[in-house]
Amino acid sequence: MAIIRRSQWGAPATSPATYIGSTRGTKVHYLGTAYASRPHDQCAAYVRQIRASHLADVKEGYVDVAYNYLVCEHGSAFEGRGVHKRTGANGTAALNSQDYAVCALLGSSGLTKPSDAMLHGLRDAIEELREHGRAGTWVGGHRDGHATTCPGDPLYDWVQRGAPRPAAQEPPEPKPAPSPKPPAKPSVDLSRLVAAAKADPPKRGTPVSYYGVKTVESALVAEGLLAREVADGHYGTATVRAYAAWQRRCGYKGPAADGIPGAESLRKLAAKRGFTVTA
């Protein structure tokens, strides 16, 4: 699953769009304008361009890019508004509350037919919305319920067939490995974790946070101290609050429970949640 998070393509880590608890399902969209095929390293810039044009649309009054996800021809699903955020793309307030919206980077001219990689990416986005955003199983096109040609005939044909993954690219059946070894425990470097805690969230164009942040966030989610939807791999405000709660659970008070990891509290979390700590 190739999901590119907002902070990775240059948007704020969290969308300001209105929270939505669940939807009937997901509607598939396309751009509806001319669009040309491009190398993958240019797709993020195009997604930023779409977001900028939506924010500049005074008539519509968008607070963010309108779609929940945008999928390029190479199969990457760029996180737009993301899960549990009401879309702005389906045509009316009622339709926006009814279904999420996923947009394929396809045009009405130029690149008009989805690649197999794109269809896989659209399925990835739909399944992400189902797993983490409580989307129902219904899948339709923008034209279902609104007067439009979107998402174009080639893509709508796929939608009407149930939006299947391309059979030719189904992964092969995994072969059982003889005498599998138990997986190694993930390791978290304390000094790099502290540096991330003091630097996140990153500014546009800076590298993605230290990968060990995600390990710690997963442990805090398991402890019931951090919501799963904000565990995004960056040591932002929500993670600071959650780790401070863990420190207080460990008996720390005042400045000692500031949300910045210390060796003792981190080792206690590691022992309980199955990772190791290095200095």
Side-chain angles (χ1 to χ4, degrees):
M1 182 176 289
I3 303 290
I4 299 179
R5 300 299 174 190
R6 290 171 60 89
S7 57
Q8 293 175 279
W9 60 263
T14 303
S15 172
T18 301
Y19 174 86
I20 188 169
S22 62
T23 66
R24 173 185 64 168
T26 305
K27 282 183 176 174
V28 177
H29 295 242
Y30 79 152
L31 297 170
T33 57
Y35 181 79
S37 177
R38 64 200 63 217
H40 190 229
D41 61 8
Q42 296 179 17
C43 291
Y46 193 82
V47 173
R48 290 194 296 271
Q49 179 181 326
I50 294 173
R51 181 173 186 267
S53 69
H54 286 185
L55 290 174
D57 191 330
V58 177
K59 180 181 177 182
E60 294 292 343
Y62 295 119
V63 299
D64 200 352
V65 63
Y67 309 104
N68 297 93
Y69 289 89
L70 303 94
V71 179
C72 71
E73 64 195 276
H74 312 283
S76 292
F78 292 82
E79 181 185 31
R81 297 190 177 199
V83 300
H84 288 302
K85 296 293 183 178
R86 189 173 65 192
T87 181
N90 287 336
T92 67
L95 293 173
N96 288 337
S97 296
Q98 181 173 265
D99 300 299
Y100 288 117
V102 174
C103 181
L105 298 189
L106 288 179
S108 53
S109 61
L111 183 64
T112 60
K113 294 183 179 180
S115 64
D116 281 356
M118 173 177 278
L119 297 179
H120 276 292
L122 290 167
R123 285 297 316 186
D124 288 344
I126 291 167
E127 289 167 15
E128 174 92 348
L129 288 164
R130 289 176 178 176
E131 182 177 356
H132 299 296
R134 295 186 62 196
T137 58
W138 185 85
V139 178
H142 185 193
R143 66 178 68 177
D144 292 318
H146 191 70
T148 176
T149 59
C150 182
D153 290 341
L155 193 54
Y156 191 59
D157 175 68
W158 174 75
V159 169
Q160 289 188 304
R161 289 186 284 108
R165 286 191 183 273
Q169 292 193 16
E170 287 287 351
E173 286 289 331
K175 295 181 180 180
S179 303
K181 296 181 180 179
K185 291 183 178 180
S187 179
V188 175
D189 185 300
L190 176 61
S191 61
R192 294 180 68 186
L193 182 67
V194 170
K198 293 179 178 179
D200 276 343
K203 297 179 180 178
R204 179 177 296 182
T206 60
V208 175
S209 177
Y210 167 50
Y211 68 86
V213 173
K214 190 66 174 177
T215 299
V216 173
E217 286 184 327
S218 295
L220 293 171
V221 169
E223 287 293 315
L225 300 173
L226 182 65
R228 186 178 303 276
E229 59 266 23
V230 298
D232 59 359
H234 293 291
Y235 208 113
T237 303
T239 308
V240 169
R241 287 199 298 265
Y243 198 90
W246 169 252
Q247 289 169 320
R248 290 192 295 272
R249 187 177 291 180
C250 293
Y252 295 100
K253 298 179 180 179
D258 60 357
I260 304 301
E264 185 176 352
S265 64
L266 187 61
R267 288 193 178 100
K268 287 182 178 179
L269 186 61
K272 191 171 182 183
R273 291 299 168 184
F275 62 92
T276 61
V277 177
T278 60

